[in-house]
Amino acid sequence: MYSTSFLYRLRPLPPVFTDFLAQQYSKEKINHRKMSTKSTDNRVLTVDTINPNVITMEYAVRGPIVIRAVELEKQLENGAKLPFNSVIKANIGDAHAMGQTPITFIRQVIACTSDPSLLKIEYYPEDVKQKALSLLNACGGGSVGSYTQSNGIEIIRKHIAQFIERRDGYACDPDSVCISGGASESIRNVLKLFIHPDSSKKKSGIMVPIPQYPLYSASIEEFNLGQVGYFLEEEKNWALDMEKKFILFFWTNELERALTENQTEFDVKVIVVINPGNPTGQVLTRENIEAIIRFAYSNKLFIFADEVYQENVYAEGAYFHSFRKVMKEMGDPFDKLELASFYSCSKWLTLGGQVGIRSGGYMGECGLRGGYVQFENFDPQVFVHFKKMISAKLCSTVLGQIAMDCIVDHPQPGDPSFDLWLKEKNEVLSSLNKRAKLVTQSYNKIEGVHCQEVQGAMYAFPKISLPEKAIKEALSRGEVPDFFYAKKLLEETGICIVPGSGFGQRPNTWHFRTTILPQIELFNEMLVRFKAFHERFLESYK
Amino acid sequence: MYSTSFLYRLRPLPPVFTDFLAQQYSKEKINHRKMSTKSTDNRVLTVDTINPNVITMEYAVRGPIVIRAVELEKQLENGAKLPFNSVIKANIGDAHAMGQTPITFIRQVIACTSDPSLLKIEYYPEDVKQKALSLLNACGGGSVGSYTQSNGIEIIRKHIAQFIERRDGYACDPDSVCISGGASESIRNVLKLFIHPDSSKKKSGIMVPIPQYPLYSASIEEFNLGQVGYFLEEEKNWALDMEKKFILFFWTNELERALTENQTEFDVKVIVVINPGNPTGQVLTRENIEAIIRFAYSNKLFIFADEVYQENVYAEGAYFHSFRKVMKEMGDPFDKLELASFYSCSKWLTLGGQVGIRSGGYMGECGLRGGYVQFENFDPQVFVHFKKMISAKLCSTVLGQIAMDCIVDHPQPGDPSFDLWLKEKNEVLSSLNKRAKLVTQSYNKIEGVHCQEVQGAMYAFPKISLPEKAIKEALSRGEVPDFFYAKKLLEETGICIVPGSGFGQRPNTWHFRTTILPQIELFNEMLVRFKAFHERFLESYK
């Protein structure tokens, strides 16, 4: 009825997306592909001459739906009459934008380091002032306006290493840490090392989970690398199913299938794991992690452990295990594998090892842009070149580095800021815990929507059953069906979610990603709008 | 005697640099090239398998000399006895690290936006609070911890557009501005559009001045683009000499020569102009700019105007002209050329058009990472893809965006913060003015050193005459002679400057780049050390 290859979303989004963006959602109302064959102007840079990977790359989390949501928001501000009175952005893990209040301690330290005159007045607690002072002393000329070393301020790297050490129980070298402007930057920097500029050679293949976070698909496409998708098992709550099955005439598991199918086209070098999962919200079991490590060893793969949601675990019995820790505990030869693990101050933050405190804290400082990569068994020569490469961007934002520091080296019991910090952290945490459960339960009550348990991270990825008639209409318009659905949802209700095709999904299944960040009142409002829309949608395409 | 091609530095630094780095200046004491032929370990990523462009790219401003300087600084801190008691870093334009104090207004606004509780107490002036409040209102959820639109907060882009409009006298569309984490990020983003992933095609050629700022050479190499160097004329105070000369059997000027010589190898698409110059400190005349624009038009080139030092002009009679303004004034067809111009909050900042205020302000907020690119005549379809590409990095740091805003939309006469702001700005400015003159005069007094007038920016690029014997010794060690000189200077005096070969220079000439940022007392100290070293050096290689 319709081509499977079109729906089987292991590769970047089909150009229909780009066209759609152009036709419907840009001011200029241009159709790129049509234009590109009749480009008449005399510009140096046109869609015919631009880097073709920039054209084909897609980044759904900020794609056409989000662009349109911003437009609608503006129309509302300007008094336009729309079928809704607010846009609800559940498309991106942006906690503060969704009403989350910041952790006071972080903001106080940033204020003091920005304006050191605050150190001289009676306003902030002593521990805030002391931390600010020690960080200022580590800045060139005592100012956050100075460049830092390209890999970040040394004392902050030391605190990060201590944090990792407490978490894993194994020593960590501060020189194995490089701070960056958010984890995204680190992930992209490490990916770049695998580029082959000689296009006559096989591209380096990067294994990514499907569904995946589109930073990977977008960067892989931009960098001219090869994406090798391995499927997560929805019905097993998005775990990685390592059971051998009879696929393609062989008994094989999902990782082996993905590797085998792509080995002729790509030189597969990397396996990316996102744990806890984005967009799928699962938390990998230790068994799963060990199996991945064994697979990486057998197939000589470099491991990317995207662990930005590491303390963001809600489900009973689920527990976060870092790849680093598991590798070290497995011992030789697995502890010799190359590993890059990523963390960020945008998401959730651990208190691992603190006396009397079990669970994680929440910061959500997305806009401050702090993050890091930590390497294990990284070739020291390659590391020299890596550091040289990142030095061309000078350094990441000093205030973002400081935010990262406040997270890995936070107030301790007895410190003046401790009580408030603990209270804020617990409030955030328990509220998110509730929302994780509420989101799962609420979506599962709606006909034709099926949502796995949100075990961790801050997203749900519900499956939607779309009526045949709706799928046909979408395809006849040249749109991916879940995109068609998401667009209608936005236009009719103001709810902005991301279609599942932006992350990848099994053929003929349709999903969307929503964050669990809207505060409970807003979420309930969102649910009312969503349910009414969904029922209308099913009815009209029955 | 020695091969000219080795010294003719239009291309990235020769591998001898990388080796030298490995041999002398890394903990591991490894020789990359030698190792690379006998790599025995089983790692996925080694110097044999890494992206080769990452190996060949060099970034002298943060190169081996600087790495060594950081090491020496640490040794001093740990009580080591060295021939000097402090390291003087004149390698990078990092004002605050060199004792420059920040502009109070910017820091107060950042403190208030970071910790909005400061808005409620009697500490900051009303205009600071008002600005902070209006910026917070423009942030998602009223928090600087939220992501912004990928191209930056709208109100800040509006302020930037108004600033450009006041400067040039021509309207500027806020949607033509994209904010980034420093200007470096914008420059790299726009360069990426010119990549050809198909290596069987000619690389896009990027014309850069020689000497140039190594962000260009490093990024061009990393992105697998082609560097096309055009020489600046040292004896004409580093102006671009557009006079026709008899070169290579033709009457041609320097831009034409560079283009013609490289057209068979590269598909030349871009001309980069750095004005005021880095590392050369010249300020282009309007005549020069017009000639470059005509050349770009005749040869269908996209113009990169790196104008981060735009208000940083000291010399009598020198005046900054923006490419945008000159293009618009020249009218059709020149005002239809594609232009990307870059600016930053790390450097100097204009007050253009403010009643009663002539010259620039100085911020030097390097560590805050604010900057932008503004486009003229950019293909709207290409722009859609550009914005999609940058969205994969989500957004630049919000506090960096806020710093940028404080610069383009600063206190006005009558505002409570105006007097202090004006005083601080003028102090900085007059002090730098003095230092620009002092640096030129002082170096010219030393035998064998010849320094052009520092007309603008914040660097001097003095020529050094190296004795034949020193050159021979350097080459026998496999080192570029000015690198050999800079290394000795660092080891014997603690002065850290960047060898001229990191920027490119005419064959058989040797230079170094120094900033004019050290405060006067420190500069005098630096000069005493430098003079003594230089005389010793000349003496010992006589």
Side-chain angles (χ1 to χ4, degrees):
Chain A
M1 185 189 48
Y2 38 79
S3 146
T4 303
S5 68
F6 169 63
L7 300 167
Y8 194 77
R9 283 276 308 108
L10 286 177
R11 295 294 157 71
L13 294 180
V16 65
F17 255 59
T18 319
D19 283 355
F20 186 75
L21 163 67
Q23 284 168 354
Q24 300 294 323
Y25 280 146
S26 92
K27 267 194 212 164
E28 293 83 15
K29 306 246 183 230
I30 321 148
N31 181 318
H32 296 133
R33 286 202 307 172
K34 278 190 197 142
M35 283 291 285
S36 75
T37 57
K38 53 170 188 181
S39 168
T40 50
D41 80 18
N42 201 33
R43 288 194 174 94
V44 178
L45 210 55
T46 66
V47 282
D48 299 328
T49 59
I50 189 182
N51 178 351
N53 292 342
V54 171
I55 297 206
T56 48
M57 75 175 275
E58 292 293 343
Y59 186 67
V61 172
R62 294 234 160 173
I65 300 274
V66 186
I67 293 168
R68 178 65 178 158
V70 172
E71 276 180 26
L72 290 173
E73 212 166 23
K74 233 188 220 171
Q75 287 179 18
L76 283 177
E77 272 169 29
N78 297 334
K81 289 230 160 158
L82 298 176
F84 44 86
N85 54 20
S86 67
V87 170
I88 301 175
K89 286 194 204 146
N91 60 299
I92 195 163
D94 189 357
H96 290 182
M98 284 285 102
Q100 182 68 63
T101 48
I103 300 289
T104 303
F105 178 73
I106 302 182
R107 296 308 189 83
Q108 290 179 337
V109 172
I110 290 180
C112 280
T113 49
S114 301
D115 180 3
S117 82
L118 292 167
L119 295 172
K120 291 177 205 144
I121 63 165
E122 294 287 323
Y123 189 63
Y124 287 133
E126 263 322 295
D127 56 344
V128 165
K129 291 185 181 179
Q130 272 169 26
K131 180 173 257 310
L133 206 59
S134 80
L135 289 166
L136 284 171
N137 285 338
C139 291
S143 167
V144 295
S146 300
Y147 290 122
T148 72
Q149 287 182 45
S150 301
N151 53 352
I153 294 172
E154 192 179 8
I155 188 179
I156 301 182
R157 285 187 287 111
K158 277 188 186 155
H159 289 155
I160 292 172
Q162 286 159 4
F163 156 82
I164 293 173
E165 208 164 307
R166 286 194 305 269
R167 184 193 66 189
D168 295 343
Y170 292 91
C172 177
D173 179 1
D175 285 338
S176 70
V177 174
C178 290
I179 305 175
S180 57
S184 299
E185 191 181 20
S186 275
I187 292 168
R188 287 166 61 86
N189 283 340
V190 187
L191 270 180
K192 273 188 206 167
L193 302 177
F194 295 90
I195 297 173
H196 285 315
D198 178 355
S199 59
S200 68
K201 289 191 183 155
K202 270 189 193 180
K203 293 178 182 182
S204 295
I206 314 294
M207 297 186 74
V208 295
I210 299 295
Q212 52 95 40
Y213 178 55
L215 167 70
Y216 292 98
S217 52
S219 303
I220 287 169
E221 186 65 17
E222 183 190 330
F223 297 162
N224 208 34
L225 296 163
Q227 182 176 314
V228 176
Y230 63 89
F231 284 110
L232 302 176
E233 206 54 52
E234 180 160 13
E235 298 312 317
K236 297 194 174 175
N237 216 101
W238 298 112
L240 177 59
D241 188 0
M242 291 297 281
E243 215 176 288
K244 297 242 180 215
K245 286 179 190 162
F246 197 70
I247 316 177
L248 293 171
F249 314 109
F250 294 101
W251 283 96
T252 179
N253 66 35
E254 177 54 21
L255 289 181
E256 286 165 1
R257 180 209 58 80
L259 185 69
T260 315
E261 270 186 53
N262 289 278
Q263 254 167 343
T264 46
E265 192 181 354
F266 304 128
D267 184 5
V268 182
K269 289 192 171 166
V270 171
I271 182 163
V272 173
V273 185
I274 310 174
N275 180 43
N278 178 2
T280 38
Q282 86 284 15
V283 179
L284 291 184
T285 61
R286 195 188 153 104
E287 201 188 346
N288 245 195
I289 294 172
E290 284 189 14
I292 294 168
I293 291 172
R294 284 203 190 87
F295 175 81
Y297 174 74
S298 316
N299 296 285
K300 209 183 164 185
L301 299 175
F302 190 112
I303 302 173
F304 276 46
D306 181 338
E307 296 172 336
V308 297
Y309 300 101
Q310 58 186 260
E311 275 299 314
N312 200 0
V313 176
Y314 320 102
E316 295 285 318
Y319 195 79
F320 170 75
H321 305 274
S322 79
F323 265 76
R324 182 174 180 274
K325 186 181 184 189
V326 176
M327 256 172 58
K328 298 232 176 225
E329 285 176 357
M330 287 169 76
D332 190 68
F334 306 106
D335 59 356
K336 307 290 178 305
L337 282 172
E338 292 154 87
L339 170 76
S341 58
F342 305 96
Y343 201 16
S344 145
C345 73
S346 310
K347 312 300 174 190
W348 292 84
L349 298 137
T350 194
L351 290 171
Q354 290 313 308
V355 184
I357 301 157
R358 202 207 79 60
S359 62
Y362 181 76
M363 312 300 168
E365 294 285 9
C366 304
L368 300 182
R369 314 308 287 132
Y372 70 78
V373 56
Q374 191 264 331
F375 293 104
E376 289 292 325
N377 304 313
F378 203 36
D379 183 321
Q381 305 171 62
V382 171
F383 205 7
V384 170
H385 289 295
F386 181 81
K387 282 190 272 194
K388 178 188 69 181
M389 181 185 78
I390 62 172
S391 77
K393 286 192 278 187
L394 298 168
C395 69
S396 73
T397 160
V398 178
L399 296 176
Q401 296 186 37
I402 287 175
M404 197 72 231
D405 187 73
C406 293
I407 280 156
V408 292
D409 184 51
H410 48 70
Q412 301 297 315
D415 289 348
S417 299
F418 181 76
D419 290 345
L420 178 62
W421 174 83
L422 188 67
K423 180 172 163 283
E424 289 175 338
K425 181 189 73 66
N426 285 344
E427 275 172 12
V428 171
L429 196 71
S430 79
S431 162
L432 272 155
N433 225 320
K434 265 184 226 154
R435 279 178 273 164
K437 291 186 173 63
L438 179 67
V439 168
T440 313
Q441 288 162 5
S442 310
Y443 280 114
N444 278 329
K445 280 185 197 149
I446 301 173
E447 192 204 330
V449 179
H450 188 62
C451 183
Q452 297 296 320
E453 184 184 18
V454 179
Q455 298 178 317
M458 47 204 207
Y459 310 101
F461 198 64
K463 180 152 80 175
I464 36 175
S465 315
L466 298 181
E468 209 54 39
K469 218 168 129 189
I471 295 176
K472 273 190 187 157
E473 183 172 330
L475 295 175
S476 75
R477 290 164 178 247
E479 289 173 24
V480 181
D482 57 9
F483 179 84
F484 171 78
Y485 178 89
K487 189 190 60 166
K488 261 193 166 338
L489 176 68
L490 173 65
E491 297 287 350
E492 294 184 21
T493 69
I495 297 172
C496 179
I497 46 89
V498 190
S501 46
F503 305 89
Q505 54 202 352
R506 291 222 183 237
N508 298 332
T509 69
W510 313 108
H511 299 80
F512 63 88
R513 187 187 83 165
T514 176
T515 70
I516 61 164
L517 292 175
Q519 302 292 316
I520 289 178
E521 203 175 323
L522 186 63
F523 178 73
N524 285 332
E525 159 80 20
M526 175 174 157
L527 208 70
V528 170
R529 292 195 208 172
F530 178 84
K531 195 162 180 282
F533 164 81
H534 187 75
E535 285 164 1
R536 250 190 346 263
F537 186 90
L538 292 191
E539 184 61 29
S540 65
Y541 289 101
K542 201 163 58 174
Chain B
M1 184 191 43
Y2 39 76
S3 145
T4 303
S5 68
F6 168 65
L7 301 165
Y8 193 76
R9 282 277 307 109
L10 286 177
R11 295 292 157 73
L13 295 180
V16 65
F17 255 57
T18 318
D19 284 353
F20 185 74
L21 163 66
Q23 284 167 354
Q24 300 294 323
Y25 278 144
S26 92
K27 270 194 210 162
E28 293 82 17
K29 304 246 183 232
I30 321 149
N31 182 317
H32 296 134
R33 286 202 307 171
K34 279 189 196 143
M35 284 289 285
S36 76
T37 57
K38 52 170 186 177
S39 168
T40 51
D41 78 19
N42 200 32
R43 286 195 176 94
V44 180
L45 211 54
T46 66
V47 281
D48 299 328
T49 59
I50 188 182
N51 178 350
N53 292 340
V54 170
I55 297 208
T56 48
M57 74 173 278
E58 293 292 345
Y59 187 66
V61 171
R62 294 236 159 168
I65 300 272
V66 185
I67 293 168
R68 178 65 179 158
V70 172
E71 277 181 25
L72 291 173
E73 212 166 24
K74 236 187 220 174
Q75 289 179 18
L76 283 176
E77 272 169 30
N78 296 335
K81 287 229 158 161
L82 297 176
F84 43 88
N85 54 19
S86 67
V87 170
I88 301 176
K89 286 194 205 145
N91 60 300
I92 195 163
D94 189 359
H96 290 183
M98 283 286 101
Q100 182 68 62
T101 47
I103 300 289
T104 303
F105 177 72
I106 302 182
R107 296 309 189 84
Q108 290 179 337
V109 172
I110 290 180
C112 281
T113 49
S114 301
D115 179 4
S117 82
L118 292 167
L119 295 172
K120 291 177 202 143
I121 62 165
E122 293 289 321
Y123 188 64
Y124 287 134
E126 262 322 295
D127 55 344
V128 166
K129 291 184 181 181
Q130 272 169 25
K131 179 173 260 309
L133 205 58
S134 80
L135 289 166
L136 284 172
N137 285 337
C139 292
S143 166
V144 294
S146 301
Y147 291 123
T148 73
Q149 287 183 44
S150 302
N151 54 352
I153 294 173
E154 191 179 8
I155 190 179
I156 301 182
R157 286 187 287 111
K158 275 187 187 157
H159 288 155
I160 292 171
Q162 286 160 4
F163 156 83
I164 293 173
E165 207 164 309
R166 286 195 304 270
R167 182 193 69 188
D168 295 343
Y170 291 91
C172 177
D173 179 1
D175 285 339
S176 70
V177 174
C178 290
I179 305 174
S180 56
S184 299
E185 191 182 20
S186 275
I187 291 167
R188 288 166 61 85
N189 283 341
V190 187
L191 269 180
K192 273 189 207 167
L193 301 177
F194 294 90
I195 297 173
H196 285 314
D198 178 355
S199 60
S200 67
K201 287 190 184 157
K202 270 189 194 181
K203 292 178 181 182
S204 296
I206 314 293
M207 298 187 73
V208 295
I210 300 293
Q212 53 95 41
Y213 178 56
L215 167 70
Y216 292 99
S217 52
S219 303
I220 286 169
E221 186 65 15
E222 183 190 330
F223 298 161
N224 208 32
L225 296 163
Q227 182 174 313
V228 176
Y230 62 89
F231 284 111
L232 302 175
E233 206 53 54
E234 179 160 13
E235 298 313 317
K236 297 195 174 173
N237 216 99
W238 298 112
L240 176 61
D241 188 359
M242 290 298 282
E243 215 177 287
K244 297 242 180 214
K245 285 178 190 163
F246 197 70
I247 316 177
L248 294 170
F249 316 109
F250 293 101
W251 282 96
T252 181
N253 67 34
E254 177 53 20
L255 289 181
E256 286 165 359
R257 178 210 58 79
L259 185 69
T260 315
E261 272 186 51
N262 289 278
Q263 254 167 341
T264 47
E265 193 181 353
F266 304 129
D267 183 7
V268 183
K269 288 193 171 168
V270 171
I271 183 163
V272 173
V273 187
I274 309 174
N275 179 44
N278 177 3
T280 39
Q282 86 284 13
V283 178
L284 291 184
T285 61
R286 194 186 155 103
E287 202 185 349
N288 245 195
I289 294 172
E290 284 189 13
I292 294 167
I293 291 172
R294 282 201 193 87
F295 175 81
Y297 174 74
S298 315
N299 296 284
K300 207 182 164 185
L301 300 175
F302 190 113
I303 301 174
F304 276 45
D306 180 338
E307 296 172 336
V308 296
Y309 300 101
Q310 59 187 259
E311 275 298 316
N312 201 0
V313 175
Y314 321 100
E316 295 284 319
Y319 194 79
F320 170 75
H321 305 275
S322 79
F323 266 76
R324 183 174 180 274
K325 185 181 184 186
V326 176
M327 255 172 57
K328 298 235 176 225
E329 285 175 358
M330 286 168 78
D332 191 69
F334 306 105
D335 59 356
K336 307 291 179 302
L337 282 172
E338 291 152 88
L339 170 75
S341 58
F342 305 95
Y343 200 16
S344 147
C345 72
S346 311
K347 314 299 175 189
W348 292 85
L349 297 138
T350 192
L351 292 170
Q354 292 312 311
V355 184
I357 304 158
R358 201 206 81 59
S359 62
Y362 180 76
M363 312 297 168
E365 295 284 9
C366 303
L368 300 183
R369 315 308 288 133
Y372 70 77
V373 54
Q374 191 264 330
F375 293 105
E376 289 292 323
N377 303 314
F378 202 38
D379 184 321
Q381 304 173 62
V382 171
F383 204 6
V384 170
H385 289 295
F386 180 81
K387 283 190 272 194
K388 178 189 66 181
M389 182 185 76
I390 62 173
S391 77
K393 285 192 277 188
L394 295 169
C395 69
S396 71
T397 158
V398 177
L399 296 175
Q401 295 187 38
I402 287 175
M404 197 72 231
D405 188 74
C406 292
I407 280 154
V408 291
D409 183 50
H410 48 70
Q412 301 298 315
D415 289 347
S417 300
F418 181 77
D419 291 345
L420 178 63
W421 175 83
L422 188 67
K423 180 173 161 284
E424 288 176 339
K425 181 188 72 68
N426 284 345
E427 274 172 15
V428 172
L429 196 72
S430 79
S431 162
L432 272 156
N433 224 320
K434 264 184 226 153
R435 278 178 274 165
K437 291 186 172 63
L438 178 68
V439 167
T440 313
Q441 286 161 7
S442 309
Y443 281 114
N444 278 330
K445 280 184 197 149
I446 301 172
E447 192 203 332
V449 180
H450 187 62
C451 183
Q452 298 296 319
E453 185 186 18
V454 179
Q455 298 178 318
M458 45 204 208
Y459 310 101
F461 198 65
K463 179 152 80 178
I464 38 176
S465 315
L466 298 181
E468 208 54 38
K469 220 168 129 191
I471 294 175
K472 273 190 187 154
E473 182 172 332
L475 294 176
S476 74
R477 292 166 175 246
E479 291 174 21
V480 180
D482 56 9
F483 179 84
F484 172 78
Y485 177 88
K487 190 189 58 165
K488 262 193 166 334
L489 176 67
L490 174 65
E491 296 287 350
E492 294 183 21
T493 68
I495 297 173
C496 178
I497 47 89
V498 190
S501 46
F503 304 90
Q505 54 202 352
R506 289 218 185 245
N508 298 331
T509 69
W510 312 109
H511 299 80
F512 63 88
R513 186 187 85 164
T514 175
T515 71
I516 60 164
L517 291 176
Q519 303 291 316
I520 287 177
E521 202 174 324
L522 186 64
F523 178 75
N524 284 334
E525 159 79 18
M526 174 173 156
L527 208 71
V528 169
R529 294 194 208 172
F530 178 85
K531 196 164 182 281
F533 164 82
H534 187 75
E535 284 164 1
R536 246 185 355 261
F537 186 90
L538 291 190
E539 185 61 30
S540 64
Y541 290 101
K542 199 164 59 176

